[in-house]
Structure formats: C-alpha cells, structure tokens
Amino acid sequence: MAVWEALVRCERRWLWVFVLVCLTPTLTGCPDNYSYLAHTYRCYRAYGILNTYDEAVATCLADGGSLAMPRDNTTNNFLVALKNNVSTSSKFRFGLHRWNETWKYVDGGELGNFTDWAENEPNDINERCAEYLPVFWYGSKWNDGYCSTQRRFLCEAEPAVNHCQPDPCVYGTCISGPDIFTCTCDEGYEGGTCNISIGTQ
C-alpha cells in the first residue's frame, strides 16, 4: 500500500487537486448552538453570558473561532437577529477593536467601507471595543465601549469540512485533514488521488 498526500488549496469553498479535479468539500456542521450563514460560509452564535473583552475572546477561541466580524450589511443584519433572539435589552460585543487610532477587526483586517455606528459614535478614544446597542437604543447600532466592562457577545467559527466527501480517491481510502486529504492507494495504484495504475506505466 502506497500513501500519497494530495495537497490542496481551498478558495471560495472550491477544492482544486493538481488543477485536474475540482471538488466541493462537504460542510459537516457548525459547533453546538451556532447558526450557519451561507453568505459568509461561517457559523455564528450569540452568547447570553457576561464577559470582558478578553474573556469573550477566550470563549470564542475555545469554540474554534473568534469574536464575530460584521464586514457587510448582510452579516450585520444576521448578527443583530441572533443577538436579539437572546436579548433585545442588552449590549453585545463583537470583533472590532480600536488599535491606537485605527479600528480593526480581530483578525487584523481594516474596518472597510461598511459601518453601522450610532449617531455621534465612536466618541471616546478610551472606549476601544465595539458593541451593539440594545434595540430600543438607536436600534442595535454600533457603539464604542470599555473593553473591561462585561458584555454579552457574538462569536463566529468555520463549519467543519470533510475533504473526503465527495471521495477524491479513485482507487484507495481517503483520510480528511484540516486543509488537505490523504489517499492511501489500493495495491497496484498510485498518484495523489490513486488514479494511476502502476501496471500501465
């Protein structure tokens, strides 16, 4: 039995194998209590517990993700609906933070053209963590708040991906990894996807 690793590159949820085979990996589900948004190919959850910014980051990280990042109107509306299902009268922290004088997402990305700040916000250089306001207060718009203040919060995470569905190994057994699959070829076959008959070379 020969073991061949097929290195793959995921781009827009398409899996390219040696530029010859194009497969769509199967999404096997979100973490518990997360909701899937097809627009971003990601899972989101509104937590009803109260955490500081650092505690919220740690909670999201334990789920395999980060604080949620509403980069566009569709994602923002989805997050607002999620947090309103938990509480309409609470502030919810999300993954936007003031670094020096610049607002950045928790993955280091710059705040783009989309924002949803409440009127006259952000208004305090010492308030470095973004949060959603309650529904009755500017209709769930963004606010800057103190990172040490405990807030409810929103997380995002990638859904689990099975790179072996559909099975890319023609004559062999597939083992799925985080970003690659490995084909263990049947006797008499080789190649990244076990598609080459040794006897025909």
Side-chain angles (χ1 to χ4, degrees):
M1 302 280 283
V3 177
W4 297 82
E5 279 196 351
L7 299 177
V8 301
R9 177 169 62 89
C10 290
E11 184 172 315
R12 295 184 182 275
R13 292 291 162 187
W14 289 96
L15 188 66
W16 294 88
V17 183
F18 301 136
V19 197
L20 297 176
V21 180
C22 183
L23 301 171
T24 305
T26 300
L27 303 179
T28 58
C30 292
D32 290 344
N33 300 311
Y34 276 69
S35 299
Y36 181 69
L37 177 61
H39 173 70
T40 58
Y41 303 107
R42 297 184 72 80
C43 307
Y44 299 88
R45 178 179 178 180
Y47 270 93
I49 59 175
L50 295 171
N51 275 181
T52 65
Y53 174 82
D54 288 340
E55 290 169 343
V57 168
T59 299
C60 296
L61 184 62
D63 289 344
S66 67
L67 283 168
M69 293 171 279
R71 299 181 190 273
D72 55 53
N73 188 59
T74 299
T75 309
N76 190 65
N77 288 341
F78 187 79
L79 294 178
V80 168
L82 282 181
K83 66 101 175 170
N84 287 345
N85 283 337
V86 174
S87 173
T88 59
S89 59
S90 300
K91 295 179 180 179
F92 280 76
R93 185 165 286 130
F94 58 94
L96 184 65
H97 188 278
R98 191 199 301 265
W99 297 92
N100 297 321
E101 302 302 318
T102 304
W103 286 94
K104 291 187 177 182
Y105 287 107
V106 290
D107 64 358
E110 298 282 349
L111 178 62
N113 293 328
F114 175 79
T115 65
D116 200 28
W117 296 108
E119 185 178 355
N120 299 321
E121 300 291 347
N123 63 357
D124 188 339
I125 194 171
N126 295 312
E127 295 179 331
R128 296 184 172 274
C129 288
E131 60 193 20
Y132 285 107
L133 293 169
V135 172
F136 63 84
W137 191 356
Y138 290 112
S140 298
K141 296 293 186 179
W142 298 2
N143 177 57
D144 55 344
Y146 292 105
C147 300
S148 59
T149 304
Q150 290 191 324
R151 296 279 188 248
R152 292 172 173 81
F153 56 96
L154 294 129
C155 296
E156 69 174 74
E158 287 191 3
V161 177
N162 186 350
H163 293 293
C164 290
Q165 293 296 327
D167 192 346
C169 305
V170 181
Y171 296 103
T173 302
C174 182
I175 301 172
S176 181
D179 297 307
I180 66 171
F181 63 81
T182 300
C183 287
T184 302
C185 297
D186 295 339
E187 187 174 353
Y189 292 91
E190 63 181 9
T193 56
C194 302
N195 62 327
I196 301 172
S197 174
I198 296 174
T200 61
Q201 292 186 4

